[in-house]
Amino acid sequence: MKLLKPNWVNHDEKPIFSVDVHQECLKFATGGQGNDSGRVVIWNLLPVLSEKAELDESVPKMLCQMDNHLACVNCVRWSQSGFMLASGSDDKLLMIWKQSKGPSGVFATGGIQKNYESWKCVYTLRGHSGDVLDLAWSPQDRWLASCSIDNTIIIWDVQNFPAMLAMLKGHTGLVKGIAWDPVGKYLASQSDDRSVKIWKTSDWTCSNTITEPFEECGGTTHILRLSWSPDGQYLVSAHAMNGGGPTAQIIEREGWKCDKDFVGHRKAVTCVRFHTAILKRQAPKSQKPQQYCCLAVGSRDRSLSVWMTALQRPLVVIHELFNDSILDLSWGPDKCILLACSGDGTVACLQFSENELGTPLSEEDKNALYQRIYGKSATNMENGSSSVADMVIENSELLQCIQEKVKPPTLPNISSSNHNNNCVGPVIQNTTLPSSNGLICDISNNNPTTMIKSGNLAQNPAFGSNISPVKAIGQQLETRTADGKRRITPVFIPLNQNVPESGNANNLISCSRATSTMNQSLDNRTIAAIGAETGISNNKGIESTVLPKAAITEQEEGRLDSRLVKSTKPLMQPLKVTQDVFQSFPYFKRTPTPVTDINPASFISPSKVFQASTSGPKIPITVNTKCEYQKTALDYRVHVHNGCVHTATGLLAKVTAYRLNVGKLWETYVGSPIVNFNFCSKCVMLCSLDGSMRLLDLHTGSIIMPAISLTTAVIQCAFCPKGRLVGVITECGILRIWNIETCSAVLATTCSEVFGKHGAVMQFHITEHAVPLIMFANGHAYSYSPQLMSWLVLNTKDPIMRHGLQTSMPKEFNKNYLSYPLTSVQASTNAFAQQTAAIDLNANDWQTQAKIIFIENQIKLCEAINSPEELKHWYSMLAFQLAMSGNEKKLRLLLNDLLGSPSIAGLKERTHILDISKHDLLENILKQLKAHIKWQRLYMEYNELYEKYKILRKKEMEIAPVSLKSSQCTITSQFRSVAATPAITKTETESCAKLDERMDMT
């Protein structure tokens, strides 16, 4: 044995509270106190074990230092896979670290000291109300357990960080240590309340409480790190007493007997750690190999002892190893090394040989041992699912499904392009790209305004076959203004010089002001164009070709490439814009611009912006206000000039519409200042200060509907995605929705019940079914139901709603108000919820039921707002949550409702929900159950019922294809009416009754 104490492993003379060796035995982590913060350091293990590597300056010693924790780090633990590192601290937080690419600097060194490895905090887990003292990863990294001085243990779902799976309460003192049973059936915890508790992982209840060996103990230790033997037969606790002397108590798995312990330390035992492998060696005076486990014990007496379960005396005892208590221990899984750390800020390494410790069992021998003890191999063990793992798969068709990982259902992507808040609608018919200055770059038909000599778009069916892939730019694009000045028109050049030949992010041409290019990343089918919000000055009679300045952020600033060379002659004629000079207006809200897919066949519902902004300018407008503002979208620009014309009776507002690649379309005048307006591809809605609303044709400016009085001014105005409906919300809370095609009112109500108490209205949307969706500044969202004559709650600060949104909403969801209006609204307002969300310390008491309540409410909301696509998703999500929570009663109720009955009751039942067959929903749910081995019998039962149901219905349709005449008409009576027909027999009639009877039984 070798004893090594590398003095370079330190935390600047601060205490080190935890140490853990990586699974590959190439590095180890320490956690403790840093300079004014908690510190986690990852060290290179090679210089510890090799003097040559230690003296070699090219071999790094410290790989990474992380000072993210605000207070002392009490525990660090590598995951079983070695890909993640968890740390727990006095700041009540857990941080999950993963290695990332790229360099990083040591905190507070100003970038002078570099890390050789870059580790980033990918998750921050909040849930404890006190210092986190110990951590433990379960076998196969399914769960992570943490304990705290708040007397609780939290089980975190590793698959869904930062989701909290359970909070275990039962200890009445500080919980200072936790350890997983290697079999995955139990979790053990030790506390200052002088007890060790054994928790069942199947339902997270306390199975046993052991107190006898700890009755004489006092709370004199900072931590109580207990450990489970790798064969699962023994649990060894820290700080027990026997005859007045400190011991490490051995607790046997069988009956939890406590009649053995490790003795010899003079002060309380602080930590115990078993070697992760089951060891073997030749037994003395015997030909059979001897199997045993090895553990290390650390104490407050600053001594360390190493024991073997096959020996009655310790293998080695080292006294005065440190100047302070030993706080943590860690074995190297693949090497015979043991690391120990102390409160004096140092680390010691004990290096053994295989002759001293023994040889680890092979996987075959280990599986054979587990099979003999527990009836199953170690490789097939899953945490907390021992009962499931022991199940026999009774149906061969389930074998493949069981092997796949169970995942929650997700909403399908209707479009591969990005969906913003207005991102739905038909395919854009032209191929013109709005430029960053609002003018157009036409690439469809050799428009003389732009001539591209090199660097054309890649070939695509949407643009014609004569377009070649992007190549290196050989010449610049140059224009000349009216006064003869030359202007360079930049062309988009990817920053990555290795440009592939196929269509990808370089399939873009962006026209902008000289020396301003747009640096964007696009997918292989998307053309993006960013429109600017500009205004027209009051100068008249000026002819100019100066392009407007684009509103480009610092991130969007492009760079000219070295491949660009100066052109010697102009390549394009100047673009003339008569009598209008464009300039930026400071108060205009940026309008979303089209994002179109250039391959319409690649998705179901191609999308684009279907309207401009729904809100007005952020400037106060009165009767005498003179101001200008405009909105740009859909290749159109509508400009408003309030106070443009003086008359004997007051000021007039002028409205001008432009088609970006055509020019001015029309202009009109309104007798009251326009406080808000919006437009879609068909219409323009003008809302005036006097409360009047006008609807004009976007292309001609002709009046579609007479001017409507709304009492007060409009604050929000919106169109539905297809432009058939238009709606407004006024200052006094009046809500109106009209059908443009029929010039009739669809909805007339007031928002007074929800208006005013939630802050300003941030967003307003209308679905294709005339359902209003209103979002407020505080994150609340509502919709109105004419059938219920009430407002429906879409999002509030209700704890159940918040929990449901944070745990059940699809991740990275692209908003789509045409197909998924409910989820889009909730995704928009969920950002407010995340900012103000509090941590609930009793999550395990209600969170499972809260998810189910939330999803059931989502289903009813989908029915109320007529959203069939979302309805299918939330039905699948409900089945998934019921299956995961083990709620068989509710599962059966759900399946029975969707299956229906072929008898008289079945004919009276609703067979469709929002034009979706209940049987289609049933098929989706059965697919969910198919992946859960626990529910295989339930799946087979209802799958059989469903198949029989389909057979009976099919035969009924063959014999009596006519529609049912009345509610008294039953399947049984139809069978009797065709008794002479040999296709339907008495046996089949009886089977129908039996099917009903089975349904009643389930």
Side-chain angles (χ1 to χ4, degrees):
M1 184 200 76
K2 295 181 181 178
L3 174 61
L4 308 167
K5 288 195 70 175
N7 56 9
W8 46 267
V9 179
N10 61 76
H11 284 203
D12 297 332
E13 299 182 356
K14 302 291 194 306
I16 298 177
F17 287 90
S18 184
V19 64
D20 201 40
V21 182
H22 192 270
Q23 277 63 24
E24 297 177 349
C25 288
L26 297 177
K27 63 186 75 170
F28 66 97
T30 58
Q33 185 65 47
N35 294 324
D36 301 325
S37 66
R39 177 170 295 179
V40 178
V41 185
I42 299 176
W43 306 90
N44 190 353
L45 186 58
L46 182 61
V48 177
L49 304 179
S50 169
E51 184 179 0
K52 181 179 179 181
E54 185 178 16
L55 298 176
D56 189 348
E57 295 183 357
S58 63
V59 177
K61 295 180 175 63
M62 188 182 73
L63 301 179
C64 188
Q65 177 178 313
M66 300 91 83
D67 293 338
N68 297 40
H69 280 287
L70 301 179
C72 179
V73 176
N74 294 313
C75 187
V76 289
R77 290 291 181 264
W78 294 101
S79 63
Q80 306 292 336
S81 63
F83 293 124
M84 290 183 284
L85 175 68
S87 59
S89 165
D90 283 350
D91 59 10
K92 310 173 188 177
L93 303 178
L94 283 79
M95 291 188 180
I96 307 300
W97 307 84
K98 281 186 178 180
Q99 189 171 3
S100 62
K101 296 180 180 179
S104 66
V106 177
F107 181 75
T109 64
I112 298 176
Q113 187 176 351
K114 298 293 183 181
N115 288 322
Y116 287 89
E117 292 183 356
S118 180
W119 288 78
K120 304 296 183 184
C121 177
V122 292
Y123 298 106
T124 300
L125 310 183
R126 298 175 172 87
H128 286 292
S129 59
D131 305 354
V132 180
L133 295 182
D134 201 15
L135 305 170
W137 295 85
S138 69
Q140 289 88 41
D141 291 334
R142 185 177 178 185
W143 300 313
L144 172 66
S146 61
C147 63
S148 167
I149 64 172
D150 62 8
N151 303 353
T152 65
I153 303 156
I154 294 181
I155 311 299
W156 307 90
D157 188 354
V158 176
Q159 304 290 340
N160 299 293
F161 275 143
M164 187 188 302
L165 188 67
M167 178 177 285
L168 311 184
K169 298 179 179 179
H171 283 292
T172 58
L174 317 183
V175 186
K176 295 184 175 180
I178 46 178
W180 289 96
D181 167 21
V183 182
K185 190 174 181 180
Y186 299 111
L187 172 70
S189 60
Q190 188 167 357
S191 168
D192 264 353
D193 62 6
R194 301 173 184 175
S195 72
V196 168
K197 288 186 180 292
I198 310 296
W199 308 85
K200 292 190 295 184
T201 58
S202 57
D203 55 6
W204 304 112
T205 58
C206 182
S207 173
N208 292 87
T209 301
I210 302 157
T211 58
E212 182 181 353
F214 315 104
E215 292 175 352
E216 301 177 13
C217 297
T220 59
T221 61
H222 178 72
I223 38 87
L224 295 169
R225 306 194 198 275
L226 66 170
S227 182
W228 220 302
S229 63
D231 60 4
Q233 291 297 292
Y234 301 100
L235 172 67
V236 178
S237 75
H239 193 22
M241 298 292 286
N242 186 357
T247 66
Q249 184 64 48
I250 301 174
I251 304 172
E252 295 186 35
R253 186 188 192 94
E254 184 178 353
W256 309 112
K257 294 182 291 186
C258 304
D259 53 1
K260 302 182 183 69
D261 48 24
F262 293 106
V263 300
H265 286 281
R266 299 184 299 275
K267 290 185 179 181
V269 173
T270 54
C271 51
V272 176
R273 193 78 176 263
F274 270 96
H275 194 289
T276 54
I278 303 173
L279 304 173
K280 68 175 182 179
R281 65 181 177 186
Q282 199 71 27
K285 302 179 182 179
S286 175
Q287 298 298 325
K288 293 183 178 181
Q290 189 178 31
Q291 296 180 355
Y292 54 91
C293 299
C294 178
L295 80 156
V297 179
S299 169
R300 287 186 61 237
D301 62 6
R302 300 174 293 168
S303 63
L304 172 69
S305 59
V306 179
W307 302 74
M308 294 182 180
T309 55
L311 301 176
Q312 295 183 351
R313 294 183 177 275
L315 176 67
V316 61
V317 178
I318 304 176
H319 295 286
E320 306 291 335
L321 181 59
F322 297 101
N323 296 324
D324 204 340
S325 302
I326 297 177
L327 298 177
D328 201 6
L329 302 165
S330 179
W331 290 92
D334 295 335
K335 296 183 180 179
C336 300
I337 60 172
L338 171 66
L339 291 184
C341 68
S342 169
D344 63 7
T346 61
V347 171
C349 176
L350 279 68
Q351 190 173 8
F352 298 91
S353 65
E354 283 194 358
N355 293 332
E356 294 170 323
L357 278 191
T359 305
L361 280 187
S362 63
E363 284 298 319
E364 293 78 8
D365 292 339
K366 186 177 180 181
N367 287 336
L369 176 65
Y370 276 69
Q371 192 74 38
R372 186 174 70 252
I373 299 175
Y374 305 107
K376 55 184 176 179
S377 66
T379 55
N380 294 329
M381 290 184 178
E382 295 186 33
N383 307 331
S385 58
S386 57
S387 58
V388 174
D390 291 334
M391 286 185 177
V392 177
I393 299 177
E394 302 173 9
N395 190 339
S396 58
E397 69 176 87
L398 300 178
L399 283 171
Q400 184 176 359
C401 297
I402 298 301
Q403 293 173 358
E404 298 176 358
K405 181 182 175 182
V406 179
K407 296 181 179 179
T410 57
L411 283 170
N413 286 326
I414 294 298
S415 169
S416 62
S417 59
N418 295 330
H419 292 271
N420 57 24
N421 58 344
N422 294 330
C423 199
V424 281
V427 181
I428 289 183
Q429 298 300 325
N430 56 38
T431 54
T432 56
L433 298 180
S435 69
S436 61
N437 54 30
L439 300 180
I440 213 70
C441 175
D442 196 329
I443 61 174
S444 61
N445 53 5
N446 295 327
N447 192 307
T449 58
T450 304
M451 297 174 60
I452 304 171
K453 188 166 184 178
S454 63
N456 295 330
L457 291 175
Q459 291 186 4
N460 194 289
F463 293 91
S465 59
N466 60 340
I467 301 174
S468 59
V470 173
K471 298 178 181 179
I473 305 299
Q475 289 182 329
Q476 295 177 349
L477 307 183
E478 187 176 295
T479 63
R480 286 188 179 272
T481 61
D483 56 0
K485 293 183 178 180
R486 297 164 57 193
R487 293 288 183 265
I488 303 297
T489 303
V491 177
F492 176 80
I493 301 170
L495 294 181
N496 184 6
Q497 302 299 321
N498 300 322
V499 182
E501 294 184 358
S502 60
N504 55 10
N506 52 20
N507 292 344
L508 176 140
I509 293 180
S510 178
C511 301
S512 67
R513 196 168 185 266
T515 71
S516 297
T517 61
M518 304 301 292
N519 180 14
Q520 305 181 21
S521 297
L522 303 171
D523 63 25
N524 60 346
R525 295 174 298 167
T526 304
I527 293 181
I530 298 182
E533 299 72 37
T534 60
I536 303 176
S537 70
N538 293 326
N539 298 331
K540 302 295 181 182
I542 300 177
E543 180 175 341
S544 172
T545 58
V546 178
L547 298 180
K549 184 177 180 179
I552 302 176
T553 63
E554 292 181 1
Q555 289 78 13
E556 296 172 328
E557 286 288 338
R559 296 196 298 266
L560 291 179
D561 194 89
S562 58
R563 296 172 292 179
L564 294 176
V565 296
K566 185 175 180 180
S567 176
T568 58
K569 60 181 180 178
L571 298 179
M572 61 193 307
Q573 297 298 322
L575 175 64
K576 297 182 182 295
V577 182
T578 307
Q579 294 183 352
D580 287 322
V581 177
F582 296 95
Q583 64 183 17
S584 297
F585 279 80
Y587 297 106
F588 182 72
K589 183 178 179 181
R590 193 174 184 86
T591 304
T593 52
V595 180
T596 38
D597 197 318
I598 59 179
N599 185 5
S602 62
F603 53 87
I604 300 172
S605 177
S607 63
K608 72 170 185 177
V609 174
F610 63 85
Q611 65 178 359
S613 172
T614 63
S615 58
K618 297 179 181 178
I619 54 176
I621 297 178
T622 64
V623 176
N624 299 319
T625 298
K626 295 182 180 180
C627 65
E628 299 178 60
Y629 64 97
Q630 65 181 24
K631 297 183 182 181
T632 304
L634 303 167
D635 295 351
Y636 292 92
R637 174 178 296 143
V638 176
H639 174 261
V640 170
H641 188 172
N642 288 322
C644 174
V645 179
H646 292 265
T647 68
T649 56
L651 301 176
L652 295 181
K654 184 174 78 169
V655 181
T656 310
Y658 300 89
R659 181 72 182 268
L660 298 184
N661 60 342
V662 175
K664 183 188 293 186
L665 297 178
W666 51 266
E667 70 178 22
T668 188
Y669 294 91
V670 179
S672 177
I674 296 174
V675 295
N676 196 1
F677 74 90
N678 197 359
F679 63 90
C680 64
S681 60
K682 303 175 183 178
C683 310
V684 179
M685 174 173 39
L686 305 175
C687 305
S688 299
L689 182 65
D690 61 2
S692 61
M693 190 279 290
R694 294 166 176 81
L695 197 64
L696 311 178
D697 187 281
L698 176 63
H699 306 280
T700 64
S702 58
I703 297 175
I704 297 177
M705 289 170 49
I708 297 174
S709 176
L710 298 168
T711 308
T712 55
V714 171
I715 58 174
Q716 290 281 338
C717 51
F719 291 90
C720 73
K722 294 183 179 179
R724 298 184 302 106
L725 305 173
V726 61
V728 297
I729 300 177
T730 68
E731 291 178 346
C732 63
I734 292 176
L735 171 63
R736 296 286 188 273
I737 298 177
W738 298 275
N739 188 315
I740 301 174
E741 298 171 352
T742 61
C743 291
S744 59
V746 180
L747 179 65
T749 186
T750 176
C751 306
S752 57
E753 298 175 32
V754 296
F755 206 66
K757 58 184 178 182
H758 302 301
V761 177
M762 299 300 293
Q763 294 184 37
F764 173 47
H765 296 279
I766 304 172
T767 72
E768 288 301 312
H769 302 282
V771 177
L773 308 171
I774 303 177
M775 286 152 277
F776 292 93
N778 65 348
H780 289 223
Y782 297 91
S783 178
Y784 187 77
S785 170
Q787 292 80 10
L788 300 174
M789 298 182 66
S790 302
W791 286 93
L792 308 178
V793 178
L794 305 185
N795 193 3
T796 65
K797 294 182 179 179
D798 175 83
I800 292 179
M801 182 73 73
R802 284 288 186 259
H803 178 73
L805 290 173
Q806 292 171 2
T807 58
S808 302
M809 289 288 289
K811 296 180 179 179
E812 299 180 359
F813 172 72
N814 293 323
K815 295 189 286 292
N816 181 344
Y817 285 97
L818 179 62
S819 302
Y820 311 127
L822 175 61
T823 311
S824 297
V825 169
Q826 292 173 334
S828 297
T829 55
N830 197 30
F832 299 98
Q834 292 174 351
Q835 292 173 5
T836 59
I839 301 302
D840 195 287
L841 300 180
N842 303 304
N844 188 49
D845 300 338
W846 60 274
Q847 65 173 1
T848 301
Q849 188 63 24
K851 279 185 185 180
I852 296 173
I853 294 171
F854 170 79
I855 295 171
E856 289 176 340
N857 185 64
Q858 292 286 96
I859 291 173
K860 295 304 177 184
L861 284 174
C862 291
E863 293 185 39
I865 69 173
N866 204 338
S867 180
E869 293 295 330
E870 290 178 293
L871 183 74
K872 291 189 288 186
H873 166 74
W874 289 113
Y875 261 107
S876 298
M877 183 64 79
L878 177 61
F880 174 79
Q881 292 296 343
L882 291 175
M884 295 299 292
S885 64
N887 196 328
E888 182 177 356
K889 182 179 179 180
K890 280 203 168 187
L891 262 177
R892 288 186 176 276
L893 289 174
L894 176 63
L895 293 169
N896 288 342
D897 175 60
L898 298 179
L899 180 62
S901 171
S903 66
I904 182 171
L907 298 176
K908 290 181 179 180
E909 289 175 352
R910 225 179 15 155
T911 59
H912 287 73
I913 306 175
L914 299 183
D915 296 328
I916 302 174
S917 171
K918 283 188 174 182
H919 286 179
D920 291 341
L921 298 174
L922 177 64
E923 289 180 359
N924 291 335
I925 291 177
L926 289 177
K927 289 179 182 178
Q928 287 283 336
L929 293 180
K930 193 175 182 180
H932 295 263
I933 185 174
K934 180 179 180 180
W935 301 111
Q936 59 174 321
R937 292 189 176 181
L938 188 69
Y939 163 78
M940 291 188 292
E941 175 187 344
Y942 277 89
N943 192 53
E944 180 184 357
L945 286 172
Y946 179 47
E947 294 298 328
K948 288 185 177 181
Y949 188 102
K950 288 194 294 186
I951 293 173
L952 289 172
R953 285 285 183 174
K954 184 178 179 181
K955 290 186 176 180
E956 173 207 345
M957 296 300 296
E958 291 174 354
I959 302 304
V962 296
S963 60
L964 299 177
K965 296 180 180 180
S966 65
S967 60
Q968 285 79 22
C969 182
T970 66
I971 293 178
T972 314
S973 64
Q974 288 185 29
F975 289 164
R976 291 171 182 168
S977 66
V978 290
T981 306
I984 298 295
T985 64
K986 180 181 178 182
T987 304
E988 289 167 345
T989 307
E990 291 175 353
S991 65
C992 180
K994 289 181 179 179
L995 182 57
D996 279 339
E997 185 179 350
R998 278 187 73 180
M999 288 286 299
D1000 294 337
M1001 291 176 62
T1002 58

